[in-house]
Amino acid sequence: MFVSVKGKVVLILGGSSGIVKALANRFCKEGAAVVATYFSTKTNEVAEMLEDNFRYCDIRHPSELNSVCEYIMKLIAFVGMDGVGKTGILNSIYSILVERGKKVAKIKPESGDTEIAKVLRMIRDAYSQKDKQQQRELNQKIAEALALDLLKTSEKIKEAHSSFDYVLVDRWTMCQEVYDKTWFVWNDFINECLTLCYKPDIVFLISAEMDIVQRRLSSRPVVKKTENIFSLKRVSRLYHNLAKENGWEVIENDKTLDDAVSKVCQKLLEEPSV
């Protein structure tokens, strides 16, 4: 069975032969970022194609192999519904990694604040009391605009993957999937956009008891209409189903922030490059 490499990093060891150029070309066309190593001879054609991503490595020495693995950026996604505290946890992890000397970027993709999404939302609101079908169609257009924005962000991450050890994202493709399915605007176009996006190495689903989430949300200056108990329960259920299907790390944030950050750090410390 063919395994898709879209949005992934492909590491080719022993890239001194001519076949590496063909492999690298194919993987790039499939939407992957390619890193290759060489030992005895540095093939010029491959070097021109991959530039800094063509690296010397003697795989007989674990330290050199670890160096190549550390060169490959890790994308860590923090997901979960509003009010679970994922942004605070992400910021704490960012500070810890920076203190350890890691090159880290943190990204929070647009959540409806792009210009096109704002315009579409204004049009949708104008029809809110007139035409429910048109309102639904406009909701779908907003979701499609956000999916395109995520794909654009993903391409920027892919281009800069050799510049950072870690990129931490607050919300990612799985967040849009949950909300689009909750509000019945999911379609093939959105699915294709999100499939092409960079795949996280680790996904942390931040979770909390519903009464804690409601208390946190009620303390915010603005409470969204969608943050009612029925919507929150439905979103929470979808998140946990996806976590079970895809092997995400579930972090309960019911106590102190430090407690949740400690759990995330414990998992990250299992990774050899941290």
Side-chain angles (χ1 to χ4, degrees):
M1 181 182 293
F2 177 75
V3 178
S4 174
V5 295
K6 289 179 181 177
K8 297 182 179 180
V9 177
V10 174
L11 173 60
I12 304 173
L13 298 176
S16 298
S17 63
I19 195 173
V20 174
K21 182 182 179 182
L23 284 171
N25 256 323
R26 178 59 186 272
F27 285 133
C28 287
K29 286 179 180 178
E30 293 293 332
V34 178
V35 177
T37 69
Y38 66 93
F39 172 52
S40 57
T41 305
K42 185 172 183 177
T43 311
N44 289 334
E45 288 183 343
V46 180
E48 289 174 5
M49 180 191 303
L50 299 181
E51 297 179 345
D52 289 343
N53 288 355
F54 195 37
R55 308 183 71 80
Y56 174 83
C57 178
D58 183 348
I59 61 174
R60 295 173 297 181
H61 301 294
S63 61
E64 292 191 15
L65 192 54
N66 284 339
S67 177
V68 173
C69 291
E70 287 178 2
Y71 169 77
I72 301 173
M73 180 209 78
K74 285 183 170 56
L75 181 67
I76 313 295
F78 292 79
V79 304
M81 59 185 176
D82 288 348
V84 294
K86 59 184 178 296
T87 303
I89 293 172
L90 181 152
N91 288 336
S92 295
I93 295 299
Y94 173 85
S95 297
I96 291 169
L97 290 174
V98 170
E99 287 174 3
R100 289 175 174 265
K102 301 298 181 181
K103 294 181 291 182
V104 190
K106 54 180 177 179
I107 296 173
K108 189 169 186 175
E110 300 285 359
S111 59
D113 294 328
T114 58
E115 288 305 314
I116 188 170
K118 288 178 181 178
V119 171
L120 288 169
R121 190 178 293 105
M122 288 173 61
I123 298 171
R124 179 201 64 190
D125 292 344
Y127 283 96
S128 61
Q129 303 300 322
K130 300 176 183 178
D131 191 329
K132 295 296 181 184
Q133 177 59 29
Q134 193 149 16
Q135 184 186 39
R136 181 183 178 281
E137 290 173 0
L138 285 164
N139 279 336
Q140 197 159 62
K141 295 300 180 186
I142 293 170
E144 289 172 359
L146 294 178
L148 279 171
D149 186 73
L150 273 175
L151 183 55
K152 183 170 64 175
T153 301
S154 175
E155 290 304 304
K156 290 179 181 177
I157 292 173
K158 193 183 295 185
E159 290 171 5
H161 81 89
S162 61
S163 302
F164 299 101
D165 299 313
Y166 291 89
V167 171
L168 311 181
V169 286
D170 185 348
R171 294 193 305 261
W172 196 231
T173 57
M174 51 287 298
C175 289
Q176 178 156 357
E177 180 177 351
V178 165
Y179 284 100
D180 288 357
K181 288 181 176 178
T182 297
W183 302 111
F184 306 106
V185 293
W186 182 261
N187 61 20
D188 290 341
F189 176 81
I190 295 170
N191 181 59
E192 182 62 21
C193 284
L194 302 190
T195 299
L196 289 169
C197 288
Y198 209 112
K199 302 298 184 295
D201 295 277
I202 304 176
V203 178
F204 288 107
L205 171 59
I206 311 302
S207 183
E209 292 293 334
M210 199 57 64
D211 60 331
I212 296 175
V213 171
Q214 286 186 292
R215 188 163 64 248
R216 290 171 179 165
L217 291 174
S218 64
S219 65
R220 294 183 176 182
V222 178
V223 179
K224 301 175 185 175
K225 294 179 180 179
T226 54
E227 291 172 347
N228 59 72
I229 186 64
F230 302 105
S231 297
L232 291 173
K233 284 184 176 180
R234 186 164 54 178
V235 167
S236 178
R237 186 164 56 249
L238 271 171
Y239 266 125
H240 281 86
N241 286 342
L242 283 173
K244 189 174 182 180
E245 292 171 11
N246 296 285
W248 300 348
E249 298 294 328
V250 179
I251 304 295
E252 299 295 338
N253 187 24
D254 294 324
K255 298 178 181 178
T256 66
L257 180 66
D258 288 345
D259 186 56
V261 169
S262 176
K263 293 174 184 175
V264 173
C265 280
Q266 187 176 5
K267 174 58 186 175
L268 285 178
L269 286 171
E270 296 174 8
E271 300 295 315
S273 63
V274 178

